[in-house]
Amino acid sequence: MRKTIGTRLVGFALIAALWLPGAASAESVRPDQTPAQTVSAASMQTETQTEASTAVQQVEAPTVQSEAAVLIDAQSGNMLYALQPDESLYPASITKIVTGIIALETTEPDEIVTVSKEARYEDGTRIYLAEGEQVTMEKLLYGLLMNSGNDAATAIAEHIDGSKEKFAERMNQFVREKIGVTHTTFKNPSGLPDPEHVTTASDMAKIARYAMQNETFRKIVSTKTMPWNGKEWQSELVNHNRMLWNYEGATGMKNGYTEAAGNTLVISATRGDMDLIAVVLKAPSADAAYSDTTKLLDYGFDNFHMQTLVSSGETFTVEDGEDTVEWQAANAIATAVPNGERPAPAVTVSKDGEVLVDGKYGAQTLGQLHELSRTNHAEAENAAKGEVQALAAGASGDTAAGSGGSSPLLWPTLAILAALAGWFGYRVRKRRERM
């Protein structure tokens, strides 16, 4: 940075000295003149995007029977539909999405799990594990996510943390710190009723999006049937998710039910280059839950298309306190946008490098950039002043040594150098004012 400033000042000074041969004829910068400002290509692009119109053609959103519902673009997390997205409700067995992804990230598929007495006699839906039965973690995960086995959930939790209570602590830490949800609390690994075991449609959409980024998780939740040869139960697991058979492009996820929670359902689907995730909570019936998710997915596929908003390698300049930071996209960032002719949605970048877009449901975070460079305003200004002083001293010394007196080129050069230093300071102050 300092080398660049010094090079530019030397160049400007030499040109000015050649074109202004005489101290008396040199023009000074008037106090009322405003120095020109230069804007980087990335900054100009950001400002243009920010000023672009975001008006879109309105399409009719679906009417659902569930108490809360959310539809997101799974690639970016952008919210395309929301009904009571932050209402606190019971999740029931969609809780097992979290239990499954934690197990996949903390254990190996061939680990042997020994089933405890508590797991054997767990309440609710089971895969009929026997006390003392030894099962691989991989097999338990299929029983957990396909057949919603509460006994499998307890066996997994006890294997990882020794108890359901300790595992619930891990679940809460995981979803808050790793996924970033803020309105969810888990008390057990299966979703059995507990007054404090709550989530929101928005949080579950984020959790589901995170889980679907795991290849093994995607494979399990998309499996329709699987033979089951247990110690007490020989049968065939049939995935409880009806959408795998009934909806074009369905790729999996999880359903749930308790009397307190009603029917809950998370569904993922892919068509073309678009991946969507639908979440419904407290539907009045299983049929209503499947009907609502079908409407939401149809709404997304019929009325939106994928559009790249940030290109790979694209840079953005952001003011962060006393620093100017340049951020760069390692990969292209795309999201689902409404169909029709319109300008691209306005993109902004936060001081932390998050790519944001304003939409119907508020600001949505679409991705993260990496820091390319950071320049401190005060340090840069001091460096520029130092260059000016060094050049002035050098010019004065050279003149005195060469002629024993003042050169007619010295004072015009010093005046222009001072003006350049003032211009640089002006740019820094204007940047601060725009923050």
Side-chain angles (χ1 to χ4, degrees):
M1 178 68 184
R2 296 186 60 180
K3 183 178 179 181
T4 302
I5 294 171
T7 304
R8 288 178 178 173
L9 290 173
V10 171
F12 282 134
L14 290 174
I15 293 171
L18 290 172
W19 281 93
L20 296 172
S25 62
E27 292 185 6
S28 61
V29 178
R30 298 197 313 269
D32 60 339
Q33 284 182 319
T34 302
Q37 288 183 290
T38 60
V39 184
S40 70
S43 297
M44 291 177 65
Q45 185 174 30
T46 304
E47 291 171 5
T48 302
Q49 289 173 324
T50 303
E51 294 168 359
S53 169
T54 57
V56 298
Q57 178 184 346
Q58 295 298 315
V59 294
E60 186 175 349
T63 300
V64 299
Q65 302 174 65
S66 301
E67 189 161 322
V70 160
L71 176 71
I72 66 167
D73 154 33
Q75 185 171 334
S76 68
N78 190 19
M79 192 176 291
L80 310 182
Y81 173 93
L83 171 69
Q84 307 284 19
D86 298 321
E87 182 180 0
S88 184
L89 294 167
Y90 301 125
S93 282
I94 60 176
T95 297
K96 296 182 175 86
I97 293 172
V98 180
T99 301
I101 191 61
I102 289 176
L104 285 168
E105 291 192 6
T106 59
T107 68
E108 295 298 326
D110 58 354
E111 284 186 27
I112 300 299
V113 179
T114 301
V115 179
S116 70
K117 181 177 181 179
E118 183 171 0
R120 162 63 180 84
Y121 291 99
E122 189 60 270
D123 293 334
T125 308
R126 298 173 51 219
I127 52 173
Y128 303 101
L129 297 171
E131 183 179 352
E133 183 175 358
Q134 294 191 317
V135 191
T136 64
M137 179 61 72
E138 180 181 39
K139 189 174 179 180
L140 284 178
L141 285 170
Y142 275 93
L144 174 83
L145 295 168
M146 287 180 63
N147 205 71
S148 202
N150 290 345
D151 48 356
T154 297
I156 290 169
E158 290 177 339
H159 177 77
I160 294 174
D161 282 315
S163 71
K164 293 184 291 185
E165 293 74 22
K166 284 291 185 183
F167 187 77
E169 293 176 9
R170 179 191 292 269
M171 295 171 76
N172 293 324
Q173 183 179 11
F174 181 88
V175 297
R176 289 167 190 160
E177 296 180 3
K178 206 157 192 178
I179 303 178
V181 303
T182 55
H183 303 292
T184 293
T185 300
F186 296 115
K187 303 299 288 185
N188 61 70
S190 59
L192 286 169
D194 185 296
E196 298 179 14
H197 190 104
V198 295
T199 190
T200 68
S202 177
D203 278 4
M204 281 310 306
K206 293 174 184 176
I207 290 168
R209 176 176 177 248
Y210 178 92
M212 287 298 280
Q213 294 172 15
N214 183 288
E215 184 178 354
T216 304
F217 183 91
R218 291 198 309 271
K219 178 183 176 183
I220 294 172
V221 297
S222 66
T223 301
K224 292 182 177 180
T225 62
M226 172 185 167
W228 183 267
N229 295 305
K231 189 174 181 180
E232 292 185 356
W233 190 47
Q234 292 78 43
S235 185
E236 181 181 58
L237 298 184
V238 178
N239 200 312
H240 289 190
N241 179 6
R242 300 182 202 167
M243 297 285 271
L244 291 175
W245 285 268
N246 300 336
Y247 192 81
E248 179 188 350
T251 54
M253 222 69 87
K254 190 75 186 69
N255 67 319
Y257 171 80
T258 66
E259 187 175 350
N263 287 269
T264 62
L265 186 60
V266 181
I267 297 293
S268 62
T270 299
R271 291 183 185 175
D273 61 351
M274 187 182 296
D275 299 322
L276 299 179
I277 293 173
V279 178
V280 297
L281 300 179
K282 205 168 185 179
S285 67
D287 287 343
Y290 283 105
S291 173
D292 285 351
T293 51
T294 297
K295 289 179 183 178
L296 291 173
L297 293 170
D298 285 347
Y299 169 73
F301 288 126
D302 292 345
N303 296 290
F304 294 82
H305 67 280
M306 296 303 295
Q307 183 170 339
T308 299
L309 301 185
V310 177
S311 302
S312 178
E314 188 172 349
T315 59
F316 297 84
T317 302
V318 178
E319 298 300 325
D320 180 12
E322 291 296 313
D323 296 340
T324 297
V325 187
E326 189 172 18
W327 297 93
Q328 186 176 55
N331 301 294
I333 297 175
T335 190
V337 299
N339 294 336
E341 295 295 329
R342 60 185 61 84
V347 169
T348 58
V349 176
S350 74
K351 66 178 183 179
D352 299 317
E354 291 182 325
V355 177
L356 306 170
V357 65
D358 235 358
K360 182 178 179 181
Y361 303 104
Q364 304 288 316
T365 301
L366 304 185
Q368 177 69 46
L369 308 180
H370 73 272
E371 187 175 311
L372 196 61
S373 66
R374 180 179 290 267
T375 303
N376 183 269
H377 298 161
E379 291 178 0
E381 188 172 359
N382 290 336
K385 289 178 180 178
E387 294 284 355
V388 170
Q389 292 169 357
L391 288 168
S396 177
D398 291 345
T399 301
S403 63
S406 174
S407 166
L409 296 180
L410 173 62
W411 296 112
T413 302
L414 293 178
I416 289 174
L417 290 173
L420 289 172
W423 169 76
F424 185 85
Y426 171 82
R427 288 185 62 194
V428 170
R429 289 193 299 274
K430 293 301 288 182
R431 281 185 174 178
R432 291 173 179 169
E433 290 170 4
R434 292 200 304 268
M435 284 168 25

